[in-house]
Amino acid sequence: MGRLTSWFIIAVLIIAGGGSFSRALRNPQETSGTMVDLESIPLTMDGWSAREIQMGAEIEQLLDVNQYIHREYMHESGFSIWLFVGYFTSQKFGSGIHSPRNCLPGSGWEIANRSYAPLPGDNDLRVNRMDIIRGDSRQVMYYWFVTRAGHLNNEFSLKGDLIISSILGRPTDAAFIRINIPTTGIDRKTTEMKIENFLNIFKKEVYTVLPF
C-alpha cells in the first residue's frame, strides 16, 4: 500500500469519526423524564412553607427546561430562602443549561465575589458560591449541577460530561439546583446556618425525585 493511499485512508477515518462525533453532540440521548416529578417536593416541612414563583413563558422558553420548581420557602421565624430546581431530559450542545454567571449581569445583578465553597452542612460537596448585589439588595447564591456522572460545580465540567456521555451513547439528562438567600444586614455565619437548616430538611426531598 502506497504512502498516498495510507494517508487517504487515515483522512477518511478522521472525517468519518468527526461526523459521528458531531452527530452525537447534535442528537444526544434523551430520557423521557416520566419518573421525575419536581412538584412532589414538599411545600411545607418542619416550620418551612413555600409559595410558587412563576417565571413567565418568555423566560421558560429561554431556559428550555423540561421541568422546574421556583419557590420562596419562608421559615416561621421570619427568614426566606429561594429554591430553584430545573430538570433537563437532555443537554443540547451549543444551547445547554444557562449559567447564573452569564444571566445575572443581564438582569442587573453584580457578582461581587465568586468562589467554590462547601455547601453548608456538607463539606464533601463543593459548589459555586456567589455574593450578588442589585441596588440595595444583597444575596448569596449557591448553585451546582447533577448528572449521571455525579455532582459538577462548573460549566466546563458540565460540557465535558455532555461530550463524553454523547460519544458513549449515555443519557445526557441533568439537573440544575440553585439556592438564594438575602444577606442584607446578616453575617456569613448566620446565613450559612440558615441554609444548612433548610438543606437538612429539603436536600433529601430534592434528590429523591431526581433520577440520578
Side-chain angles (χ1 to χ4, degrees), residues 25-92:
L25 291 180
R26 288 198 307 269
N27 303 290
Q29 183 173 336
E30 183 168 348
T31 63
S32 67
T34 54
M35 300 301 293
V36 178
D37 182 14
L38 298 183
E39 292 291 339
S40 66
I41 297 171
L43 287 164
T44 59
M45 280 189 75
D46 296 350
W48 291 91
S49 60
R51 69 178 183 93
E52 302 281 3
I53 302 173
Q54 297 302 319
M55 303 186 72
E58 184 177 348
I59 296 178
E60 290 177 356
Q61 184 176 8
L62 178 65
L63 293 176
D64 196 23
V65 63
N66 298 98
Q67 285 191 51
Y68 79 89
I69 60 165
H70 188 205
R71 295 173 177 172
E72 179 187 9
Y73 278 89
M74 294 155 283
H75 193 262
E76 58 188 12
S77 61
F79 56 87
S80 298
I81 285 180
W82 286 269
L83 171 68
F84 179 90
V85 182
Y87 174 71
F88 302 77
T89 57
S90 71
Q91 301 174 69
K92 301 176 180 64

Side-chain angles (χ1 to χ4, degrees), residues 96-129:
I97 301 174
H98 286 258
S99 166
R101 293 174 58 188
N102 302 322
C103 299
L104 284 171
S107 57
W109 288 93
E110 173 191 350
I111 300 174
N113 181 59
R114 177 178 175 270
S115 62
Y116 295 118
L119 194 65
D122 188 349
N123 289 326
D124 294 328
L125 178 54
R126 295 183 65 84
V127 301
N128 287 274
R129 183 190 188 279

Side-chain angles (χ1 to χ4, degrees), residues 99-163:
S99 166
R101 293 174 58 188
N102 302 322
C103 299
L104 284 171
S107 57
W109 288 93
E110 173 191 350
I111 300 174
N113 181 59
R114 177 178 175 270
S115 62
Y116 295 118
L119 194 65
D122 188 349
N123 289 326
D124 294 328
L125 178 54
R126 295 183 65 84
V127 301
N128 287 274
R129 183 190 188 279
M130 296 195 300
D131 295 295
I132 59 177
I133 302 171
R134 185 171 66 183
D136 295 330
S137 178
R138 284 166 168 73
Q139 296 182 12
V140 64
M141 173 188 291
Y142 287 89
Y143 75 90
W144 65 101
F145 310 96
V146 189
T147 72
R148 294 180 185 270
H151 294 90
L152 305 172
N153 62 12
N154 66 74
E155 293 75 10
F156 297 106
S157 296
L158 187 66
K159 290 296 185 187
D161 178 70
L162 168 60
I163 291 171

